[in-house]
Amino acid sequence: LKCVFVFPTGMTEAQLNVAVVSDARLESVRARLEKRDSTLKSINLAGPMIGVGPVTAVYLATLVPLLKEDPNVTTICLSANNICEDGAEHLKAVLSVNNVITSMILGGCALGDAGARLLADGLRGNQSLQMIWLDYNSIGDAGAAALGACLRENVALRELLLGHNCIGDEGVRALATALVANTTLTSLRINNNRIGIEGGRELVNMLLVNRSIFSVFLVNNQLGDAGVQAFIPVASANPVIREISVMGNGAFDETEQALAAALDGRAIN
């Protein structure tokens, strides 16, 4: 079976091919961690569809002491497992001390705001994680605010993926305020949320100052035509920005074309 999620750029074909994970597979992963298997670079235990994966918070608890000190694993994918808040507590414990893991993919894990807060706490002092993927987790404004607060301290994260959640203007305001001073995040994906014109203005104001973010993915929100228009001056004022994706926001074709023209020649390959 193929994993139902669209994984971030850079994932290998082997990481995209997700078979139904058996109990034997779960035990195999734990056994290899116990042996400090140097060939175990990626743990992929994604379920075949949201909510039916076999990984539980109880199982994660058995991995925590191993992952805390593991020197080999750089990628963990647990998408489509209902690990919920308890599972996030275990991952927080790992992130707080592990400085080897660079990618954590947690799409469709029923984390909610409480889980997002716990992960944010784990990320505050983390020095290795460069990408965290949190799509389809029912994260709202409170969870987004917690992630924003951690970005005031975290200096490692490069990609934050928050698509298909419940984030509105208040959550985006918290993220944008934190990102004004952040100098490490390069990609912010908050597509398919509830971001309106006020939230869009917060992002515009942030992008007029921030010089590390080069990609903002805002597809399928509620910016409206005026909200999309507000991003056009960003292209001329910010030489770093290369992508502002705003399809599905109710803008006129002419407005979307004007934004594309302002960014002409800067597209990400």
Side-chain angles (χ1 to χ4, degrees):
L1 294 173
K2 290 277 189 179
C3 185
V4 297
F5 299 105
V6 178
F7 285 81
T9 303
M11 299 299 292
T12 66
E13 183 177 354
Q15 290 169 315
L16 294 176
N17 294 323
V18 182
V20 176
V21 180
S22 64
D23 290 341
R25 172 77 183 282
L26 297 179
E27 290 305 313
S28 173
V29 167
R30 183 160 53 196
R32 292 177 70 185
L33 283 171
E34 288 173 344
K35 294 177 181 178
R36 296 282 182 90
D37 185 344
S38 62
T39 66
L40 183 62
K41 303 296 186 183
S42 174
I43 295 175
N44 186 358
L45 296 173
M49 59 186 69
I50 290 178
V52 300
V55 178
T56 64
V58 173
Y59 172 75
L60 280 181
T62 68
L63 299 188
V64 168
L66 302 172
L67 286 170
K68 278 184 174 181
E69 300 180 358
D70 183 82
N72 304 305
V73 173
T74 60
T75 300
I76 296 178
C77 176
L78 300 173
S79 290
N81 293 283
N82 282 345
I83 64 171
C84 305
E85 182 180 350
D86 289 344
E89 182 78 57
H90 298 315
L91 293 175
K92 169 191 170 182
V94 173
L95 288 170
S96 296
V97 296
N98 180 291
N99 284 309
V100 178
I101 298 168
T102 58
S103 299
M104 192 168 282
I105 305 165
L106 304 172
C109 286
L111 298 174
D113 284 334
R117 286 192 196 97
L118 289 165
L119 292 173
D121 286 344
L123 282 169
R124 286 181 185 276
N126 182 277
Q127 298 175 25
S128 66
L129 199 76
Q130 297 179 22
M131 184 273 286
I132 189 163
W133 200 69
L134 297 172
D135 287 29
Y136 296 99
N137 270 297
S138 299
I139 296 170
D141 290 342
L147 290 164
C150 93
L151 290 174
R152 295 177 183 272
E153 302 176 40
N154 180 283
V155 294
L157 199 67
R158 302 291 187 270
E159 297 179 73
L160 177 59
L161 295 89
L162 289 166
H164 297 270
N165 280 295
C166 311
I167 301 168
D169 292 344
E170 289 301 315
V172 168
R173 180 176 291 111
L175 281 171
T177 300
L179 288 171
V180 166
N182 181 283
T183 60
T184 51
L185 198 78
T186 61
S187 178
L188 178 64
R189 297 177 67 89
I190 41 179
N191 55 292
N192 296 82
N193 277 279
R194 301 172 180 173
I195 302 165
I197 189 169
E198 293 301 323
R201 285 174 180 153
E202 296 290 340
L203 290 172
V204 166
N205 290 336
M206 178 271 292
L207 290 171
L208 289 172
V209 178
N210 181 286
R211 288 298 182 268
S212 64
I213 294 175
F214 61 75
S215 174
V216 180
F217 196 70
L218 285 164
V219 168
N220 294 332
N221 276 286
Q222 301 165 15
L223 297 173
D225 190 72
V228 172
Q229 281 188 39
F231 283 92
I232 296 174
V234 172
S236 58
N238 184 338
V240 174
I241 200 75
R242 295 162 62 189
E243 177 186 43
I244 304 174
S245 296
V246 293
M247 291 183 297
N249 274 281
F252 296 124
D253 289 345
E254 294 82 358
T255 301
E256 291 188 6
Q257 290 164 7
L259 178 58
L263 290 166
D264 187 41
R266 301 193 211 171
I268 298 173
N269 296 323

